[in-house]
PDB file of all heavy atoms in Angstrom:
ATOM      1  N   TRP A 191       7.995 -13.805   2.553  1.00 98.00           N
ATOM      2  CA  TRP A 191       7.519 -12.896   1.498  1.00 98.00           C
ATOM      3  C   TRP A 191       8.716 -12.363   0.723  1.00 98.00           C
ATOM      4  O   TRP A 191       8.801 -11.157   0.444  1.00 98.00           O
ATOM      5  CB  TRP A 191       6.695 -11.790   2.119  1.00 98.00           C
ATOM      6  CG  TRP A 191       5.340 -12.243   2.641  1.00 98.00           C
ATOM      7  CD1 TRP A 191       4.789 -13.484   2.529  1.00 98.00           C
ATOM      8  CD2 TRP A 191       4.372 -11.413   3.347  1.00 98.00           C
ATOM      9  NE1 TRP A 191       3.506 -13.479   3.105  1.00 98.00           N
ATOM     10  CE2 TRP A 191       3.284 -12.198   3.615  1.00 98.00           C
ATOM     11  CE3 TRP A 191       4.363 -10.099   3.714  1.00 98.00           C
ATOM     12  CZ2 TRP A 191       2.141 -11.724   4.348  1.00 98.00           C
ATOM     13  CZ3 TRP A 191       3.250  -9.664   4.435  1.00 98.00           C
ATOM     14  CH2 TRP A 191       2.157 -10.428   4.714  1.00 98.00           C
ATOM     15  N   GLU A 199       9.181  -8.374   1.189  1.00 98.00           N
ATOM     16  CA  GLU A 199       8.090  -7.484   1.610  1.00 98.00           C
ATOM     17  C   GLU A 199       7.832  -7.626   3.068  1.00 98.00           C
ATOM     18  O   GLU A 199       7.597  -8.769   3.614  1.00 98.00           O
ATOM     19  CB  GLU A 199       6.833  -7.906   0.779  1.00 98.00           C
ATOM     20  CG  GLU A 199       5.582  -7.106   1.113  1.00 98.00           C
ATOM     21  CD  GLU A 199       4.687  -6.953  -0.120  1.00 98.00           C
ATOM     22  OE1 GLU A 199       5.119  -7.044  -1.257  1.00 98.00           O
ATOM     23  OE2 GLU A 199       3.456  -6.813   0.179  1.00 98.00           O
ATOM     24  N   ARG A 200       7.816  -6.508   3.769  1.00 98.00           N
ATOM     25  CA  ARG A 200       7.612  -6.452   5.222  1.00 98.00           C
ATOM     26  C   ARG A 200       8.642  -7.341   5.984  1.00 98.00           C
ATOM     27  O   ARG A 200       8.298  -8.042   6.933  1.00 98.00           O
ATOM     28  CB  ARG A 200       6.173  -6.998   5.634  1.00 98.00           C
ATOM     29  CG  ARG A 200       5.066  -6.453   4.793  1.00 98.00           C
ATOM     30  CD  ARG A 200       4.882  -4.956   4.792  1.00 98.00           C
ATOM     31  NE  ARG A 200       3.868  -4.532   3.893  1.00 98.00           N
ATOM     32  CZ  ARG A 200       3.726  -3.241   3.519  1.00 98.00           C
ATOM     33  NH1 ARG A 200       4.562  -2.291   4.035  1.00 98.00           N
ATOM     34  NH2 ARG A 200       2.711  -2.915   2.707  1.00 98.00           N
ATOM     35  N   ASN A 242       2.540 -11.965  -3.012  1.00 98.00           N
ATOM     36  CA  ASN A 242       2.367 -11.099  -4.237  1.00 98.00           C
ATOM     37  C   ASN A 242       3.386 -11.677  -5.237  1.00 98.00           C
ATOM     38  O   ASN A 242       4.421 -11.139  -5.387  1.00 98.00           O
ATOM     39  CB  ASN A 242       2.669  -9.666  -3.934  1.00 98.00           C
ATOM     40  CG  ASN A 242       1.659  -9.106  -2.868  1.00 98.00           C
ATOM     41  OD1 ASN A 242       0.439  -9.302  -3.047  1.00 98.00           O
ATOM     42  ND2 ASN A 242       2.176  -8.529  -1.854  1.00 98.00           N
ATOM     43  N   LYS A 319      -2.679 -16.026  -3.623  1.00 98.00           N
ATOM     44  CA  LYS A 319      -3.387 -14.814  -3.281  1.00 98.00           C
ATOM     45  C   LYS A 319      -4.018 -14.292  -4.544  1.00 98.00           C
ATOM     46  O   LYS A 319      -3.334 -13.931  -5.491  1.00 98.00           O
ATOM     47  CB  LYS A 319      -2.372 -13.700  -2.762  1.00 98.00           C
ATOM     48  CG  LYS A 319      -2.905 -12.386  -2.507  1.00 98.00           C
ATOM     49  CD  LYS A 319      -1.905 -11.412  -1.879  1.00 98.00           C
ATOM     50  CE  LYS A 319      -2.411  -9.944  -1.696  1.00 98.00           C
ATOM     51  NZ  LYS A 319      -1.447  -9.116  -1.051  1.00 98.00           N
ATOM     52  N   GLU A 323      -5.920  -6.989  -3.291  1.00 96.00           N
ATOM     53  CA  GLU A 323      -4.925  -5.917  -3.389  1.00 96.00           C
ATOM     54  C   GLU A 323      -4.276  -5.856  -4.793  1.00 96.00           C
ATOM     55  O   GLU A 323      -3.037  -5.781  -4.949  1.00 96.00           O
ATOM     56  CB  GLU A 323      -3.834  -6.118  -2.327  1.00 96.00           C
ATOM     57  CG  GLU A 323      -4.361  -6.063  -0.894  1.00 96.00           C
ATOM     58  CD  GLU A 323      -3.362  -5.987   0.229  1.00 96.00           C
ATOM     59  OE1 GLU A 323      -2.305  -6.603   0.024  1.00 96.00           O
ATOM     60  OE2 GLU A 323      -3.645  -5.410   1.233  1.00 96.00           O
ATOM     61  N   ARG A 356      -5.611 -18.162   0.067  1.00 98.00           N
ATOM     62  CA  ARG A 356      -5.702 -17.134   1.139  1.00 98.00           C
ATOM     63  C   ARG A 356      -7.055 -16.466   1.099  1.00 98.00           C
ATOM     64  O   ARG A 356      -7.596 -16.084   0.098  1.00 98.00           O
ATOM     65  CB  ARG A 356      -4.617 -16.102   0.957  1.00 98.00           C
ATOM     66  CG  ARG A 356      -3.238 -16.722   1.147  1.00 98.00           C
ATOM     67  CD  ARG A 356      -2.111 -15.717   1.021  1.00 98.00           C
ATOM     68  NE  ARG A 356      -1.859 -15.005   2.206  1.00 98.00           N
ATOM     69  CZ  ARG A 356      -1.768 -13.658   2.297  1.00 98.00           C
ATOM     70  NH1 ARG A 356      -2.029 -12.919   1.194  1.00 98.00           N
ATOM     71  NH2 ARG A 356      -1.457 -13.002   3.384  1.00 98.00           N
ATOM     72  N   PHE A 358      -7.592 -13.695   2.513  1.00 98.00           N
ATOM     73  CA  PHE A 358      -7.318 -12.247   2.593  1.00 98.00           C
ATOM     74  C   PHE A 358      -7.755 -11.592   1.265  1.00 98.00           C
ATOM     75  O   PHE A 358      -6.938 -11.120   0.411  1.00 98.00           O
ATOM     76  CB  PHE A 358      -5.807 -12.053   2.841  1.00 98.00           C
ATOM     77  CG  PHE A 358      -5.438 -10.522   3.066  1.00 98.00           C
ATOM     78  CD1 PHE A 358      -5.941  -9.898   4.219  1.00 98.00           C
ATOM     79  CD2 PHE A 358      -4.587  -9.949   2.260  1.00 98.00           C
ATOM     80  CE1 PHE A 358      -5.588  -8.608   4.488  1.00 98.00           C
ATOM     81  CE2 PHE A 358      -4.195  -8.627   2.508  1.00 98.00           C
ATOM     82  CZ  PHE A 358      -4.684  -7.965   3.620  1.00 98.00           C
ATOM     83  N   LYS A 397      -6.206 -15.151   7.935  1.00 98.00           N
ATOM     84  CA  LYS A 397      -5.431 -14.314   8.941  1.00 98.00           C
ATOM     85  C   LYS A 397      -6.181 -14.320  10.225  1.00 98.00           C
ATOM     86  O   LYS A 397      -7.431 -14.458  10.321  1.00 98.00           O
ATOM     87  CB  LYS A 397      -5.314 -12.898   8.467  1.00 98.00           C
ATOM     88  CG  LYS A 397      -4.361 -12.714   7.283  1.00 98.00           C
ATOM     89  CD  LYS A 397      -4.026 -11.278   6.959  1.00 98.00           C
ATOM     90  CE  LYS A 397      -3.141 -11.219   5.760  1.00 98.00           C
ATOM     91  NZ  LYS A 397      -2.603  -9.842   5.427  1.00 98.00           N
ATOM     92  N   ASP A 402      -6.081  -7.034   9.334  1.00 97.00           N
ATOM     93  CA  ASP A 402      -4.752  -7.194   8.835  1.00 97.00           C
ATOM     94  C   ASP A 402      -3.711  -7.124   9.871  1.00 97.00           C
ATOM     95  O   ASP A 402      -2.963  -6.099   9.877  1.00 97.00           O
ATOM     96  CB  ASP A 402      -4.503  -6.262   7.680  1.00 97.00           C
ATOM     97  CG  ASP A 402      -3.254  -6.582   6.877  1.00 97.00           C
ATOM     98  OD1 ASP A 402      -2.681  -7.684   7.144  1.00 97.00           O
ATOM     99  OD2 ASP A 402      -2.834  -5.805   6.027  1.00 97.00           O
ATOM    100  N   GLU A 430       5.094  -6.442  11.214  1.00 98.00           N
ATOM    101  CA  GLU A 430       4.734  -5.354  10.295  1.00 98.00           C
ATOM    102  C   GLU A 430       4.042  -4.210  10.996  1.00 98.00           C
ATOM    103  O   GLU A 430       4.414  -3.006  10.832  1.00 98.00           O
ATOM    104  CB  GLU A 430       3.823  -5.917   9.160  1.00 98.00           C
ATOM    105  CG  GLU A 430       3.309  -4.818   8.239  1.00 98.00           C
ATOM    106  CD  GLU A 430       2.417  -5.422   7.156  1.00 98.00           C
ATOM    107  OE1 GLU A 430       2.149  -6.606   7.150  1.00 98.00           O
ATOM    108  OE2 GLU A 430       1.858  -4.559   6.357  1.00 98.00           O
ATOM    109  N   HIS A 566       3.485   1.677   7.705  1.00 96.00           N
ATOM    110  CA  HIS A 566       2.785   0.758   8.679  1.00 96.00           C
ATOM    111  C   HIS A 566       3.619   0.802   9.979  1.00 96.00           C
ATOM    112  O   HIS A 566       3.585  -0.160  10.710  1.00 96.00           O
ATOM    113  CB  HIS A 566       2.712  -0.643   8.124  1.00 96.00           C
ATOM    114  CG  HIS A 566       1.897  -0.764   6.956  1.00 96.00           C
ATOM    115  ND1 HIS A 566       1.516  -1.969   6.412  1.00 96.00           N
ATOM    116  CD2 HIS A 566       1.264   0.196   6.173  1.00 96.00           C
ATOM    117  CE1 HIS A 566       0.713  -1.773   5.339  1.00 96.00           C
ATOM    118  NE2 HIS A 566       0.582  -0.496   5.183  1.00 96.00           N
TER     119      HIS A 566
HETATM  120  C1  GCU B   1      -0.635  -6.671   4.233  1.00 95.09           C
HETATM  121  C2  GCU B   1       0.735  -6.258   3.854  1.00 95.09           C
HETATM  122  C3  GCU B   1       1.060  -6.560   2.416  1.00 95.09           C
HETATM  123  C4  GCU B   1       0.722  -8.008   2.121  1.00 95.09           C
HETATM  124  C5  GCU B   1      -0.682  -8.280   2.548  1.00 95.09           C
HETATM  125  C6  GCU B   1      -1.001  -9.759   2.360  1.00 95.09           C
HETATM  126  O1  GCU B   1      -1.540  -5.824   3.598  1.00 95.09           O
HETATM  127  O2  GCU B   1       0.874  -4.909   4.146  1.00 95.09           O
HETATM  128  O3  GCU B   1       2.371  -6.261   2.207  1.00 95.09           O
HETATM  129  O4  GCU B   1       0.933  -8.263   0.795  1.00 95.09           O
HETATM  130  O5  GCU B   1      -0.895  -7.969   3.825  1.00 95.09           O
HETATM  131  O6  GCU B   1      -1.050 -10.448   3.390  1.00 95.09           O
HETATM  132  O7  GCU B   1      -1.311 -10.259   1.262  1.00 95.09           O
END
Side-chain angles (χ1 to χ4, degrees):
W191 288 355
E199 179 149 334
R200 317 298 176 193
N242 300 308
K319 172 177 178 178
E323 298 189 330
R356 296 179 85 231
F358 186 63
K397 289 192 183 188
D402 190 8
E430 176 182 358
H566 298 187

